[in-house]
Amino acid sequence: MVNIGLIGAGRIAHVHANTIAANPNAQLVAIADPYQPAAQELGGRFGATVLSDAQDLFALDNLDAVVICSPTPQHPQHIIAAAKAGLPALCEKPIALDYEAAKQLEKDLEGLNPTIMLGFNRRFDPSFAAIKALVDRGEIGQVEQVTITSRDPEAPSPQYVATSGGIFKDMTIHDFDMARFFLGDIVEVFAYGQNFDPEIKKANDFDATMILLRNANGVVATIINSRHCAPGYDQRLEVFGADGVLNADNVRATTVELSTSNFSASKEPYLNFFLERYAQAYSNELNTFLDAIAHGQTPTPNVTDGIKALQIAEAAQESALTGTSITLS
């Protein structure tokens, strides 16, 4: 049984708490969050010790691992604390608020031999993972193009947008990692930002974007993002190769189609929230983390993946603001 401590008691912490509780090989034993009402509520549900300071959590002697769901600016300090305590950590994305902080974290981790996994859960989505397995087996030959569509059902509040790091860091970061999952390292970034929501524009962010990423072999990924989508949570992936095409379509509550004299093949809306759409991915992610701990392996995605995704995010931001393509070193 792996005893897990949870840092943070917000929305994503609830996701991980439920995933831990559903795993027969893990149990949630402690939660740390300075906002005690949220921590007490979550801790009471799972019978976990509740703390107000994450440093007190790291001092516990009954922990085997931690899951870091604190605000993004605190991720580096909590990752370092976990490494110094010898505790494997699963940390939510992004790894830091900016690329400079992420590179400093990389330096600070030298010599600590940490076991850190980044929460890019979409790698563990059954459909996306199946496509990756087929690509790796050579089923569609040389990959030439990847198209990633990711649209949220509705925009977050302007208050959230103003402190989130922007669309490229808080939303598209998942898609940057997915592109790297298939293409490897990216050498060129071009992004076009769009503003249709005046409140998001006031917060100095974009509410939609189109992005092109290129690797050293000339393979290109196209990412399509929007913060709003009337049919629901739009999550699709296409990988086009020399010998075939692989597609993962949207997930719906059922596979029922309705046809009448007025229309044909009407389907239910897409699942309307990331917690529903990626529930299995979160479970698979935790299982992968626990398996890595059990076998003394280094889990992926890792710190390097987090840093490279953040580098792409900042390049996309620069490209969208300047209208130029950005070359990555």
Side-chain angles (χ1 to χ4, degrees), residues 106-114:
E106 186 176 43
K107 292 180 181 178
D108 292 341
L109 288 172
E110 290 177 1
L112 293 177
N113 193 30

Side-chain angles (χ1 to χ4, degrees), residues 315-326:
Q317 177 76 12
E318 182 181 352
S319 176
L321 292 174
T322 63
T324 60
S325 65
I326 307 300

Side-chain angles (χ1 to χ4, degrees), residues 251-265:
V251 177
R252 296 171 171 83
T254 73
T255 59
V256 172
E257 292 185 0
L258 172 64
S259 297
T260 72
S261 58
N262 297 319
F263 52 80
S264 63

Side-chain angles (χ1 to χ4, degrees), residues 4 16 34-35 50-51 53 67 145 159 200 229 290 326:
I4 298 178
H16 287 294
Y35 183 63
V50 175
L51 305 164
D53 192 330
V67 176
Q145 299 171 340
Q159 292 77 18
I200 291 180
C229 181
L290 295 178
I326 307 300

Side-chain angles (χ1 to χ4, degrees), residues 12 35 39 41 60 67 71 83 107 130 140-141 174 187 219-220 227 256 287 295-296:
I12 197 64
Y35 183 63
E41 187 276 328
L60 295 175
V67 176
K107 292 180 181 178
I140 62 168
H174 277 295
V187 299
V219 183
V220 173
R227 288 196 182 276
V256 172
N287 290 338
H295 296 94

Side-chain angles (χ1 to χ4, degrees), residues 49-120:
T49 298
V50 175
L51 305 164
S52 60
D53 192 330
Q55 295 306 316
D56 293 333
L57 182 143
F58 289 116
L60 295 175
D61 59 8
N62 63 334
L63 289 188
D64 300 309
V66 295
V67 176
I68 300 171
C69 305
S70 51
T72 299
Q74 297 174 16
H75 287 178
Q77 70 187 67
H78 290 150
I79 289 173
I80 292 168
K84 288 182 176 178
L87 292 171
L90 169 60
C91 181
E92 267 302 318
K93 60 77 189 172
I95 193 169
L97 194 58
D98 57 63
Y99 181 64
E100 183 178 343
K103 291 298 288 183
Q104 182 61 49
L105 169 63
E106 186 176 43
K107 292 180 181 178
D108 292 341
L109 288 172
E110 290 177 1
L112 293 177
N113 193 30
T115 299
I116 309 294
M117 180 174 173
L118 261 290
F120 289 125

Side-chain angles (χ1 to χ4, degrees), residues 116-173:
I116 309 294
M117 180 174 173
L118 261 290
F120 289 125
N121 67 296
R122 295 182 189 179
R123 292 192 184 205
F124 304 97
D125 173 74
S127 296
F128 298 166
I131 286 181
K132 182 62 163 60
L134 290 167
V135 168
D136 289 346
R137 280 180 10 209
E139 294 291 337
I140 62 168
Q142 170 64 48
V143 172
E144 299 175 356
Q145 299 171 340
V146 175
T147 304
I148 302 166
T149 302
S150 180
R151 298 185 176 109
D152 285 354
E154 60 183 23
S157 69
Q159 292 77 18
Y160 171 84
V161 170
T163 60
S164 69
I167 190 171
F168 298 114
K169 292 181 181 177
D170 82 67
M171 181 179 174
T172 323
I173 195 88

